Amino acid sequence: MTHTQTVDILRDQIIFNEGDQGDCAYIIEKGRVLVYMTKDGEDIPISVLGEGEIFGEMSLIDNQVRSGTVKALEDVRLTIVTREQLLERISKADTVVQLLMRVLLKRLRRNNFTLGTLKLSDLIIENKSTKEDDQDSAALQHIKLENEIFLAFQNKEFSLHYQPIVNLQDQKIQGCEALLRWNSPSLGYVSPNIFIDIIENSSMVIPIGHWIISQALKDLKSILEHLKAGGHEAASEKFMMSINISGRQFTHDDFLGNLEDIREKHDVPIKNIKLEMTERIMLDGSVALDCLNRCHREGYAISIDDFGTGFSSLQYLTQMPISYLKVDRSFVSKVRQDNKSKAVVSSIIYLAKAMNIEVIAEGIENAEDAHVLFGLGAHYGQGYFFAKPLAFDEFMKALKV
Ligand code: C2E
Ligand code: CA
Ligand code: CA
């Protein structure tokens, strides 16, 4: 908590001078101030500001000297806004918003400084010499990539692959996880690590998320029918399709209503569907918890992904209606070499059992790890040792029924 600090300034007193280093901004509580610039010995008024207005913020944002002088027109009272208070808020803004702020400030300063005295040639030189910092170009790259991703989605360059999840006891496929793939004609195969965050942090997560659920449930329908047709009624009853759901998608609008519409359209039972999400969704607090509870009551299984890597994991365990826990690959891959990782895994399994939660170990890459994890009590396993994520047709072949 920061304490607000106020100062009283007498009429005609200067609050700061053009060219000073800025260390704080001010909010006017009472009175009016004049902002002016001095050119060739002449004072040029820029604006008069009054109650509730802020000034002095520019040099905090762009780290330049004060662009004008501010004088009290009458007795004024000001609240001081510290650099930290302002920058802390700005740093939380979207990088593109930060970029726009810097661009606007730069233009404003240029207009103020020059006040019509600049020649076109000066502007060209100035433009050439501006060293657009990496931050700005990264923010613009981000927008471009966002557009490319959405275009790719519209051009149907996305598909879903399915990675088998096996029962560790008999290593038979018990379900799968739907994983998004982007095969770009120009870039080739693009890793989800590059595009998932961009999708999840933009509004396109809604149409793309909707498509992922539709495609996964359409394929689930074919899987269940295939199992039944092969006489594997029990396998079909137990088969679980895991779909990754991001926080923004989950708390947007009527997530459950939309999910139910898609499910009814594809005519698949709720009991075969698992919603996989990380603890991060709990950052949305009661909205997320409320939605989780409604999904759970409706009959959807909830699985917590990347378990152990988040924060306050244990607290969330007691609040969320969880049926499955996925132990993160970072622990699984070290289970034999590192006693601490092994201790974490066995504690998670112990806790989960006590809470009636089933455990999936993800990222199993060899038979030895599969064996150790089964010994520790994990129910299910997923990883390259069993199978990589497969295109739908390959997955159907891997079902071997
Ligand atoms: P995740 O949900 O933790 O998915 C598991 C990731 O581990 C997948 O990476 C999978 O290919 C990889 N993996 C599986 N077994 C092994 C193994 O034995 N060794 C190693 N080294 N890796 C293994 P992928 O497909 O690249 O996906 C990365 C992340 O992107 C996912 O992590 C998930 O967070 C996100 N993601 C993928 N598809 C979707 C989606 O449809 N929706 C959402 N919201 N996120 C998705
Ligand atoms: Ca996952
Ligand atoms: Ca995971």
Side-chain angles (χ1 to χ4, degrees):
M1 215 36 219
T2 33
H3 298 280
T4 50
Q5 207 185 330
T6 55
V7 283
D8 290 310
I9 310 277
L10 296 176
R11 179 187 166 147
D12 287 337
Q13 219 178 310
I14 300 286
I15 299 160
F16 56 71
N17 278 300
E18 188 176 340
D20 284 354
Q21 286 297 334
D23 52 3
C24 63
Y26 303 90
I27 297 169
I28 305 173
E29 298 298 333
K30 185 171 75 87
R32 288 176 312 150
V33 301
L34 171 70
V35 186
Y36 63 92
M37 296 174 80
T38 309
K39 248 201 176 87
D40 306 326
E42 194 191 330
D43 290 346
I44 306 165
I46 305 280
S47 58
V48 172
L49 304 173
E51 227 174 276
E53 292 192 276
I54 188 167
F55 64 92
E57 75 294 346
M58 276 167 65
S59 38
L60 301 191
I61 297 171
D62 63 7
N63 233 346
Q64 305 280 321
V65 295
R66 301 290 196 192
S67 62
T69 300
V70 182
K71 184 172 87 171
L73 283 178
E74 48 206 56
D75 290 355
V76 292
R77 168 162 289 181
L78 305 171
T79 294
I80 295 178
V81 180
T82 64
R83 180 186 292 274
E84 292 69 35
Q85 280 178 303
L86 200 68
L87 297 191
E88 190 187 307
R89 284 169 173 80
I90 293 173
S91 67
K92 285 184 194 145
D94 184 276
T95 51
V96 176
V97 174
Q98 292 183 29
L99 161 70
L100 291 178
M101 204 184 292
R102 282 194 295 274
V103 167
L104 289 174
L105 263 189
K106 201 154 111 193
R107 289 192 190 144
L108 185 67
R109 274 184 184 278
R110 193 162 61 199
N111 289 348
N112 280 352
F113 270 132
T114 56
L115 289 167
T117 59
L118 208 68
K119 296 189 293 294
L120 182 61
S121 55
D122 296 334
L123 280 178
I124 292 169
I125 290 168
E126 194 188 330
N127 254 341
K128 262 193 204 154
S129 59
T130 51
K131 41 175 182 7
E132 282 308 344
D133 50 345
D134 294 350
Q135 239 180 330
D136 289 358
S137 62
L140 290 177
Q141 273 311 111
H142 190 105
I143 293 193
K144 284 205 278 186
L145 193 52
E146 220 173 89
N147 290 346
E148 279 173 37
I149 291 170
F150 197 65
L151 208 63
F153 171 62
Q154 288 174 320
N155 289 339
K156 304 199 184 330
E157 290 168 24
F158 284 114
S159 63
L160 288 183
H161 278 206
Y162 297 95
Q163 186 172 32
I165 296 177
V166 306
N167 188 320
L168 282 176
Q169 188 161 23
D170 55 14
Q171 301 201 351
K172 287 208 172 116
I173 296 178
Q174 176 275 341
C176 64
E177 176 177 8
L179 292 160
L180 191 59
R181 293 290 175 262
W182 177 16
N183 193 359
S184 155
S186 55
L187 305 167
Y189 164 76
V190 186
S191 162
N193 294 326
I194 292 176
F195 63 82
I196 282 286
D197 274 359
I198 295 180
I199 294 177
E200 289 189 345
N201 289 312
S202 86
S203 56
M204 57 183 166
V205 72
I206 305 304
I208 297 182
H210 187 280
W211 175 81
I212 291 171
I213 295 175
S214 281
Q215 187 63 42
L217 294 191
K218 179 170 171 256
D219 290 342
L220 172 62
K221 177 80 184 169
S222 308
I223 292 168
L224 297 181
E225 282 182 349
H226 180 73
L227 286 170
K228 278 188 203 146
H232 301 274
E233 197 72 38
S236 155
E237 292 284 311
K238 280 193 286 182
F239 190 92
M240 293 300 274
M241 166 69 77
S242 297
I243 307 174
N244 288 289
I245 308 290
S246 75
R248 188 163 173 166
Q249 184 187 3
F250 191 58
T251 47
H252 177 269
D253 208 13
D254 183 16
F255 171 80
L256 180 57
N258 290 326
L259 174 62
E260 275 293 273
D261 287 348
I262 305 171
R263 186 185 68 77
E264 276 161 22
K265 180 176 159 214
H266 293 292
D267 186 30
V268 282
I270 295 187
K271 67 173 192 306
N272 297 103
I273 304 168
K274 197 197 285 176
L275 307 175
E276 198 167 303
M277 48 197 106
T278 67
E279 299 150 86
R280 282 195 303 272
I281 61 140
M282 290 300 279
L283 291 175
D284 287 315
S286 58
V287 181
L289 191 60
D290 182 53
C291 189
L292 272 177
N293 282 322
R294 280 188 292 120
C295 290
H296 175 70
R297 275 198 302 273
E298 196 74 35
Y300 289 96
I302 310 286
S303 173
I304 297 300
D305 204 354
D306 305 340
F307 191 78
T309 59
F311 43 93
S312 347
S313 310
L314 298 179
Q315 191 192 341
Y316 289 141
L317 263 190
T318 63
Q319 297 176 346
M320 300 164 78
I322 306 167
S323 313
Y324 295 87
L325 251 176
K326 260 193 173 176
V327 184
D328 192 67
R329 176 157 61 91
S330 56
F331 303 112
V332 168
S333 62
K334 286 187 283 196
V335 77
R336 281 181 304 123
Q337 298 91 334
D338 175 23
N339 276 332
K340 287 184 183 161
S341 294
K342 185 172 177 179
V344 170
V345 174
S346 50
S347 313
I348 292 175
I349 294 171
Y350 176 82
L351 263 179
K353 288 214 159 136
M355 298 176 132
N356 219 3
I357 296 172
E358 299 203 87
V359 174
I360 302 160
E362 72 174 347
I364 299 181
E365 293 188 350
N366 54 63
E368 294 77 12
D369 288 350
H371 182 73
V372 170
L373 285 153
F374 179 60
L376 289 176
H379 307 90
Y380 305 104
Q382 177 182 356
Y384 296 165
F385 170 62
F386 306 110
K388 291 206 164 183
L390 306 167
F392 179 66
D393 294 347
E394 292 170 50
F395 180 78
M396 292 297 258
K397 282 185 211 145
L399 271 177
K400 289 197 207 99
V401 284

